[in-house]
Amino acid sequence: MTIPYKRVRASLAAARFGLASSNPGADEAVLLRNALLQGRFDAILEAAAHDGLPFVWQQIGELRRSGSLSEVQNAKLERMVRSIERGFAEAEDER
């Protein structure tokens, strides 16, 4: 299942993430997969806030299916994204 997202300038294309310096028009999914492979928490958090956690999990699934993640990388990403989920839930509870 593909999760649709808006075709606007990718939030991860911002210079502060350093993911799209050579291609500022790059697709958000491509940028997120690169951030996931690099273990870039700040970029993963931005994608979760901007595009939603389902989109982040979808991209992790793509990397798993392609065999691009080592067991160590996979475990690290699981911890990171679960931490983001907990943080979002806690922030929602405080409202």
Side-chain angles (χ1 to χ4, degrees):
M1 177 177 114
T2 301
I3 304 208
Y5 57 96
K6 297 175 188 163
R7 293 283 182 190
V8 296
R9 185 169 188 271
S11 64
L12 296 180
R16 66 188 165 124
F17 296 114
L19 296 169
S21 57
S22 63
N23 187 2
D27 186 69
E28 185 85 352
V30 172
L31 297 175
L32 177 54
R33 285 193 300 269
N34 286 336
L36 290 165
L37 288 170
Q38 295 172 24
R40 303 276 303 275
F41 184 84
D42 59 338
I44 297 166
L45 177 59
E46 172 70 19
H50 185 265
D51 300 307
L53 283 162
F55 180 71
V56 174
W57 283 117
Q58 178 187 11
Q59 298 314 308
I60 291 172
E62 291 290 327
L63 292 172
R64 287 176 179 155
R65 283 187 289 283
S66 71
S68 298
L69 293 177
S70 70
E71 287 184 36
V72 171
Q73 285 174 307
N74 188 54
K76 181 179 177 181
L77 288 175
E78 283 277 339
R79 285 190 306 273
M80 270 194 238
V81 178
R82 296 281 179 221
S83 176
I84 292 169
E85 284 178 328
R86 281 190 305 275
F88 284 2
E90 288 174 17
E92 187 65 30
D93 288 346
E94 291 179 12
R95 285 184 172 197

